[in-house]
Amino acid sequence: MSSASGVPRPGPHRALHPDTRSAVDAILDDVDADLARQFPGDDAAAQPVHTAYLSAADADPGTPAYWGEQARAIAEAAAATLADLADAPIADLVLARLRSNPIVDARIDLEDGYGRRPDAVEDADARRAGETLAAWSADRPHAPRVAGIRAKGLGAAERARGIRTLELVLDAAGGVPDGFVFTVPKLRDVRQVDAVNLICADLERAHGLSEGALRYELQVEIPQAVLGADGRATVAEAIHRGRPRLSGLHYGTYDYSAACGIVSAQQSLTHPVADHAKDVMQAAAAHTGVWVSDGSTQVVPVGDPGQVAAALERHHALVTRSLKRGLYQGWDMHPGHLVTRWTAVIDFFRQAMPTAAARLQAYFEHVSGSEVLDEPATAMSLALVIERGIAAGAFTAAEVTTIAPLCTEARLQTLRAHGGSLGG
């Protein structure tokens, strides 16, 4: 109906029937509960920027400091190459990190990086690994904040050996050290996750721990971990079977590429099969609180100066590429990788911080004239840039508030707690 002026007049209000509203609520209340349980949001803890893999044959309490010393020596010898990758202030921050706390997350490796050895030898190395983990837990903040092992996997030929190794490590450590996590390699079937949960539950009982105290990661290095026989994304179901014990997914570059038939010369983090696997991992892990880590490169900075420079430039480019793709963690296999890991990470977040801080300042101020009108989800993402950068030592909270006075750590935490809505 229209008025004489031609402007439509509002008609009678036609509301949903109360029974329909109740039926909608009955359906969606269950949906809301399921989504809240399955997708609780990002882990509030700081994700490590890397995981250093150390052979159990070599790792000891002094390994992190030794890696830091070796990394500084490589950085000093390749100063001209590093000057092309980052400016002097970033280089100073990198050297400070290599002196104080070069390794944030470490796995003492008793799997592929260790090989098959007589049981008596592996037993001894497993016990020494447990003693090393206990020593690291007492030496923080200079020792890794997160540390654990990669034991052999759950395949029929190695299952008993992997379980025994895990038991011996925890016995020698005197229990489960603070920050302990173990990596389960070669995921192929979601039922393997059920088995890991049973192992964790019984070890928690044996060590007098609360349920869920033991944390583990799954290594995605076989295509069946991404796509199962039934056509479903194995890794997505594995996440929801594994939480809350499951803390991360690690991509295994070379086993995965080889299993897909990629020739060795083309196996890399940048190959399309690698990107596909990691895209699925990221999508499956989004909003679950499970971290995703990129894999490794086998190219290390050794040899003549030209070879060292080429390896450093290559690793720096790989880390930067991963960061741009939202993969904020990766593997480091050599002390030289620490140099370019920290250079790339610190540079990435220092470059991102001024824009992120300015946009958050505008968001907090409700500035309608801003060139960019950010959504709450974008504000959350911008806050994560700030929080990740501070955790990595790329800048300080004071540097952030110099640019954006409203972007205090307390306000960023409030933003996270309220899912992106504006706090007072």
Side-chain angles (χ1 to χ4, degrees):
M1 179 182 294
S2 300
S3 66
S5 64
V7 177
R9 292 177 178 173
H13 179 55
R14 294 177 174 85
L16 289 175
H17 190 280
D19 290 347
T20 302
R21 287 182 178 272
S22 297
V24 168
D25 287 339
I27 294 170
L28 296 184
D29 285 349
D30 288 342
V31 172
D32 293 341
D34 287 345
L35 290 174
R37 174 177 53 82
Q38 295 169 345
F39 301 99
D42 295 324
D43 191 328
Q47 181 178 4
V49 303
H50 68 165
T51 302
Y53 270 77
L54 318 168
S55 171
D58 305 317
D60 61 37
T63 298
Y66 174 75
W67 271 46
E69 292 169 4
Q70 293 297 302
R72 292 199 304 276
I74 291 169
E76 290 167 5
T81 298
L82 296 176
D84 291 336
L85 299 178
D87 59 23
I90 290 171
D92 291 341
L93 288 171
V94 170
L95 290 174
R97 168 62 75 166
L98 295 176
R99 283 191 296 269
S100 65
N101 189 11
I103 297 176
V104 177
D105 184 6
R107 292 297 165 277
I108 299 178
D109 193 12
L110 292 117
E111 203 236 358
D112 283 353
Y114 175 79
R116 294 185 179 276
R117 307 185 187 218
D119 282 340
V121 174
E122 183 160 341
D123 285 353
D125 285 340
R127 292 188 181 97
R128 190 171 67 253
E131 293 166 358
T132 296
L133 291 169
W136 286 348
S137 69
D139 191 35
R140 295 188 180 114
H142 303 295
R145 172 171 57 86
V146 180
I149 66 163
R150 179 173 67 166
K152 291 178 173 62
L154 298 172
E158 55 188 10
R159 180 161 61 239
R161 178 65 261 182
I163 292 173
R164 176 171 172 77
T165 292
L166 177 59
E167 292 171 336
L168 291 175
V169 167
L170 295 180
D171 285 345
V176 179
D178 182 45
F180 178 81
V181 62
F182 67 99
T183 303
V184 180
K186 297 177 174 59
L187 172 70
R188 295 190 71 183
D189 189 290
V190 293
R191 289 170 292 183
Q192 292 174 321
V193 178
D194 298 337
V196 178
N197 288 336
L198 283 174
I199 293 167
C200 288
D202 204 40
L203 288 173
E204 288 162 355
R205 175 201 57 77
H207 290 277
L209 298 171
S210 60
E211 182 179 354
L214 202 53
R215 306 291 296 277
Y216 65 89
E217 300 160 335
L218 296 172
Q219 196 168 341
V220 177
E221 52 185 332
I222 297 178
Q224 290 82 39
V226 173
L227 188 65
D230 58 2
R232 298 167 67 181
T234 307
V235 69
E237 187 170 355
I239 287 171
H240 295 287
R241 290 198 188 199
R243 290 186 52 253
R245 290 188 178 96
L246 177 63
S247 62
L249 303 173
H250 283 220
Y251 177 66
T253 306
Y254 299 100
D255 282 10
Y256 193 95
S257 298
C260 288
I262 309 304
V263 299
S264 58
Q266 302 301 321
Q267 293 174 3
S268 166
L269 298 180
T270 65
H271 194 281
V273 301
D275 285 340
H276 171 261
K278 290 177 287 188
D279 287 346
V280 175
M281 292 163 64
Q282 280 183 288
H287 304 142
T288 65
V290 172
W291 292 326
V292 176
S293 172
D294 211 335
S296 62
T297 175
Q298 85 280 36
V299 180
V300 298
V302 298
D304 62 44
Q307 291 172 312
V308 170
L312 290 172
E313 290 168 353
R314 183 179 190 276
H315 187 245
H316 182 272
L318 288 172
V319 175
T320 301
R321 180 183 190 270
S322 295
L323 292 167
K324 289 179 178 179
R325 294 177 68 90
L327 295 165
Y328 299 109
Q329 183 177 356
W331 294 17
D332 288 331
M333 312 291 286
H334 184 274
H337 287 160
L338 301 183
V339 178
T340 34
R341 172 72 58 185
W342 287 112
T343 299
V345 167
I346 290 173
D347 188 27
F348 178 82
F349 285 112
R350 281 190 72 84
Q351 288 193 42
M353 186 271 282
T355 298
R359 285 173 63 178
L360 277 172
Q361 178 76 12
Y363 182 80
F364 289 136
E365 289 178 342
H366 304 267
V367 176
S368 59
S370 173
E371 293 180 1
V372 181
L373 299 178
D374 287 313
E375 298 287 341
T378 303
M380 288 283 289
S381 178
L382 294 169
L384 280 173
V385 170
I386 305 298
E387 292 174 340
R388 289 182 186 277
I390 291 173
F395 45 79
T396 65
E399 289 178 274
V400 175
T401 53
T402 297
I403 295 171
L406 292 179
C407 291
T408 63
E409 290 183 277
R411 188 179 286 269
L412 295 178
Q413 291 171 4
T414 299
L415 183 69
R416 177 194 288 273
H418 289 81
S421 62
L422 284 166

